[in-house]
Amino acid sequence: MQLELSFIIPVYNRPQEIEELLHSFTLLKTNVKYQVVIVEDGSTIPSKEVVSKYEDQLDIAYYFKSNSGPGDSRNFGMQKATGNYFIILDSDCILPANYLNAVVSSLEKEYVACFGGPDAADASFSNLQKAINFAMTSFITTGGIRGNKNSVDKFQPRSFNMGISKEAFLKTKGFGSIHPGEDPDLSIRLWKLGYTTKLIPEAYVYHKRRISWSKFYKQVFKFGMVRPILNTWHPQTKKITYWFPSLFSLGFILAVILSFYHFKALLFVYVLYFGLAFVLAILKTKNIIIAIQAMLAICIQFFGYGYGFIKSTILVGLLNKKPEEQFPELFFKK
């Protein structure tokens, strides 16, 4: 099919991020035509003035709507877009110059109705952003699931960097109201309809997370709570590997307790793991401070996700509580 591309970008109170993202569009080295759709999701700090600065350089459309969450805002943008293939980005992303060429080249060689790309850390990012990026993307952590085609299941694109055809959007009706978790939910529903997803490794973005340690914990905790809900909605996707962060965390606690009774073999296994992770972080970041912070990020990732997963498994999986009532913070009301 002839690709007619529309980028869909929801934004909430982040005009500076939109400034950086739109500037990266102007630096793309491509002859591919595309549209940019900005959806302001009820912001009190709007991006309209920033967007207007790029109207002469980009084919850009701006819409303001009441706040209803990122999933619904993406659906709104896809309804308004003129293209037949949508590329969804988070507002805190920056595009490398060859991003669009990588997407088009891959889809022309092997067309799929939905693709995802990985995230990377730009040299300009802070140490904290680089450390968390390592934890979120390394194959040695749960982050490998997000950007690795050799993951625990078929590749599930993530909505910070994701493409979907208009046909697939119309048949699935797009994203649901859960957040986070709206992107794997959409991927699973696409598979049920017979569509294929794939990773395009070359179509990476620089994901400039505006984050702190506390925000990171809250984020991964929510990720953990969401997975048992998705397992309840889509039982065929259950995997024993989703238990790994919880078992890792419980095992670490057990290892510390056993060490007080002079049984240190299990604790030694954890020392080896973190030693390997530290070496990998050093090799990737070339910075010992970032590598040390990456170890803390891995701990937060495992313990936050693991605790959220166990809590949700007990309440939703075992006690059959309704997710919307038990975890209202995970659901946006339209």
Side-chain angles (χ1 to χ4, degrees):
M1 65 178 291
Q2 182 66 39
L3 291 174
E4 299 172 7
L5 300 173
S6 291
F7 284 87
I8 312 299
I9 306 164
V11 59
Y12 180 72
N13 288 341
R14 297 187 179 185
Q16 179 58 39
E17 289 181 354
I18 288 296
E19 174 81 56
E20 292 179 317
L21 176 52
L22 291 180
H23 178 68
S24 72
F25 272 103
T26 68
L27 302 178
L28 289 176
K29 296 179 180 179
T30 184
N31 294 319
V32 177
K33 293 183 178 180
Y34 58 89
Q35 175 197 31
V36 179
V37 178
I38 305 293
V39 181
E40 192 90 64
D41 186 26
S43 299
T44 57
I45 309 174
S47 303
K48 184 174 178 59
E49 185 175 336
V50 171
V51 173
S52 65
K53 291 166 52 178
Y54 291 88
E55 289 177 343
D56 294 336
Q57 302 175 66
L58 301 170
D59 177 7
I60 193 166
Y62 173 87
Y63 298 96
F64 187 97
K65 54 177 282 298
S66 59
N67 180 252
S68 59
D72 189 57
S73 295
R74 297 182 193 114
N75 293 343
F76 179 92
M78 289 187 279
Q79 290 168 350
K80 297 292 186 181
T82 60
N84 61 12
Y85 205 103
F86 309 129
I87 300 178
I88 300 159
L89 301 173
D90 278 358
S91 63
D92 58 356
C93 291
I94 299 172
L95 298 181
N98 200 49
Y99 174 86
L100 197 52
N101 289 337
V103 170
V104 172
S105 175
S106 180
L107 290 178
E108 287 179 344
K109 290 179 182 177
E110 181 192 14
Y111 180 83
V112 292
C114 181
F115 77 86
D119 53 344
D122 185 65
S124 65
F125 286 11
S126 69
N127 286 354
L128 175 59
Q129 288 171 324
K130 291 176 181 178
I132 290 177
N133 178 267
F134 176 83
M136 294 290 279
T137 60
S138 175
F139 73 91
I140 203 170
T141 71
T142 62
I145 298 170
R146 302 169 61 257
N148 191 335
K149 56 188 173 185
N150 299 315
S151 60
V152 299
D153 201 346
K154 291 185 290 185
F155 179 69
Q156 298 177 1
R158 292 297 189 260
S159 53
F160 66 85
N161 179 17
M162 176 182 186
I164 182 172
S165 70
K166 182 176 182 178
E167 174 192 315
F169 163 67
L170 292 175
K171 287 193 176 182
T172 59
K173 298 182 181 179
F175 295 95
S177 60
I178 192 171
H179 177 75
E182 71 274 23
D183 29 20
D185 172 60
L186 176 56
S187 295
I188 296 166
R189 289 188 283 114
L190 284 166
W191 298 337
K192 289 180 178 179
L193 291 172
Y195 290 108
T196 302
T197 60
K198 74 172 180 177
L199 170 70
I200 304 180
E202 301 79 13
Y204 62 90
V205 298
Y206 298 119
H207 200 179
K208 194 173 184 178
R209 298 176 181 87
R210 189 171 69 177
I211 204 162
S212 64
W213 290 120
S214 60
K215 289 179 179 178
F216 182 51
Y217 174 81
K218 184 177 180 180
Q219 181 184 57
V220 294
F221 177 68
K222 285 186 174 181
F223 287 162
M225 288 196 296
V226 160
R227 181 53 64 178
I229 297 173
L230 296 179
N231 289 344
T232 300
W233 292 351
H234 311 288
Q236 74 279 8
T237 65
K238 289 182 179 180
K239 299 285 182 180
I240 189 64
T241 40
Y242 290 135
W243 278 91
F244 179 66
S246 302
L247 297 176
F248 180 97
S249 302
L250 293 172
F252 182 80
I253 295 171
L254 178 62
V256 172
I257 294 173
L258 289 177
S259 69
F260 287 106
Y261 295 93
H262 307 292
F263 182 83
K264 299 182 179 181
L266 183 57
L267 186 62
F268 182 69
V269 173
Y270 281 89
V271 171
L272 288 177
Y273 170 83
F274 281 104
L276 175 60
F278 183 76
V279 171
L280 292 174
I282 283 284
L283 293 175
K284 181 176 181 179
T285 67
K286 308 296 191 295
N287 187 307
I288 191 170
I289 301 299
I290 298 174
I292 293 172
Q293 289 181 315
M295 297 307 98
L296 176 57
I298 291 173
C299 290
I300 292 174
Q301 183 184 44
F302 276 117
F303 280 85
Y305 186 103
Y307 174 48
F309 184 88
I310 290 175
K311 180 178 180 179
S312 183
T313 296
I314 293 173
L315 294 175
V316 176
L318 297 179
L319 300 181
N320 294 318
K321 301 288 186 180
K322 291 184 178 180
E324 294 85 352
E325 296 178 0
Q326 199 64 44
F327 305 117
E329 69 274 20
L330 299 179
F331 295 88
F332 277 93
K333 294 182 179 180
K334 299 182 181 180

